Amino acid sequence: MNDPVRLYDGALSSRLLLGTARYPSPAILAEAIRASGCEIVTVSLRREAGGARAGEAFWSLIRDVGARVLPNTAGCRTAKEAIATAQMAREVFATDWIKLEVIGEEDTLQPDVFGLVEAARALADEGFKVFPYTTDDLVVAEKLLDAGCRVLMPWAAPIGSGRGVNDAFALRALRAHFPDTPLVVDAGLGAPSHAALVMEMGYDAVLLNTAVSRAGDPVLMARAFALAIEAGRAGFRAQPMTPRDMAEPSTPLIGRPFDRLA
């Protein structure tokens, strides 16, 4: 099924993006990326640039699997900190793509949407292609688009919670209000069925980390999510039936061979 998704200057065959943190080993990470078929992996500058040898090993792994790197500003708590991290990431990873995170609340890791919009505007003005990790708030989404973002990454639930979709109404409303904006669900999905659900809503892609990296078999789970995303996308394109309040027979009564014997 040829159904690519366009994110800024990239046309991608896979609608699954993978995080690279907390895998049991680099070898399992590489296997999971290959099993998923993903073409983009997210990387934290703070984690990968901490030591020269670790950075070299990671780059070797990424070159081997052929994935594109999407650096992120994970761990940043202010707009100023996120902007500085993004600028360093552009130098280290040689890309103007940046997944922008500005965390505002410690327990839920909910984005600070005020700092997020501020940082997004500054980075877009510098030529960055910003992928903002945001909430499912319509007003915030509008302000991020006004700031120069061309992709939005709303959460389904708190990062690493595995809860699935906390507010289906909000996600559906976001999709309906911004039909022409690529929307990538980021954070909170824990099972392949969660990914299928958001793809059936019409979302363009899914970003995962913990659901794969902390699974009993990360490689098998990566493949399971890839299949679920493909199925959910196909289901959306096939235009599912409208739910009904009452039953409707799937076999018509007219024309049954025993009607005349009644």
Side-chain angles (χ1 to χ4, degrees):
M1 180 176 60
N2 185 19
D3 182 31
V5 58
R6 178 165 291 278
L7 304 177
Y8 286 107
D9 57 344
L12 310 169
S13 298
S14 172
R15 292 173 180 267
L16 171 58
L17 291 68
L18 275 185
T20 56
R22 301 180 68 188
Y23 282 80
S25 71
I28 291 176
L29 168 60
E31 288 183 50
I33 294 172
R34 293 190 181 97
S36 73
C38 80
E39 299 164 67
I40 296 177
V41 295
T42 62
V43 182
S44 169
L45 172 67
R46 295 182 172 190
R47 186 169 60 83
E48 296 304 338
R53 291 184 178 179
E56 290 173 5
F58 178 80
W59 274 115
S60 177
L61 183 154
I62 295 301
R63 283 194 296 269
D64 288 345
V65 299
R68 179 170 184 165
V69 169
L70 173 60
N72 68 34
T73 62
C76 292
R77 296 297 193 272
T78 66
K80 182 178 180 180
E81 187 180 12
I83 292 167
T85 302
Q87 291 166 338
M88 288 187 288
R90 180 159 58 182
E91 296 299 319
V92 171
F93 297 110
T95 179
D96 55 6
W97 281 24
I98 191 73
K99 181 191 171 191
L100 181 62
E101 297 183 23
V102 183
I103 300 302
E105 205 282 320
E106 199 64 35
D107 291 332
T108 63
L109 299 180
Q110 179 169 324
D112 172 358
V113 295
F114 304 101
L116 182 67
V117 171
E118 178 186 347
R121 188 178 302 279
L123 292 173
D125 287 346
E126 292 185 23
F128 280 90
K129 296 176 173 63
V130 181
F131 294 70
Y133 164 61
T134 184
T135 63
D136 50 22
D137 187 282
L138 294 173
V139 177
V140 175
E142 190 67 63
K143 291 186 179 298
L144 287 168
L145 294 176
D146 288 344
C149 299
R150 296 295 173 262
V151 174
L152 299 177
M153 305 185 78
W155 69 351
I159 293 174
S161 67
R163 294 177 57 86
V165 177
N166 266 356
D167 192 339
F169 174 83
L171 286 183
R172 291 184 189 279
L174 197 64
R175 178 71 285 176
H177 276 72
F178 304 103
D180 300 321
T181 300
L183 300 179
V184 181
V185 170
D186 176 18
L189 303 185
S193 57
H194 300 158
L197 174 60
V198 297
M199 295 304 293
E200 288 174 1
M201 291 180 182
Y203 275 77
D204 296 284
V206 166
L207 194 156
L208 304 164
N209 194 154
T210 309
V212 174
S213 67
R214 309 308 283 179
D217 185 336
V219 177
L220 184 59
M221 186 61 76
R223 181 58 181 155
F225 267 104
L227 293 171
I229 289 167
E230 182 177 345
R233 177 63 181 175
F236 169 74
R237 295 182 70 198
Q239 301 178 16
M241 63 175 286
T242 302
R244 295 168 50 90
D245 292 330
M246 303 295 290
E248 180 181 17
S250 56
T251 303
L253 296 177
I254 297 176
R256 291 196 310 172
F258 300 108
D259 281 349
R260 295 183 180 179
L261 300 178

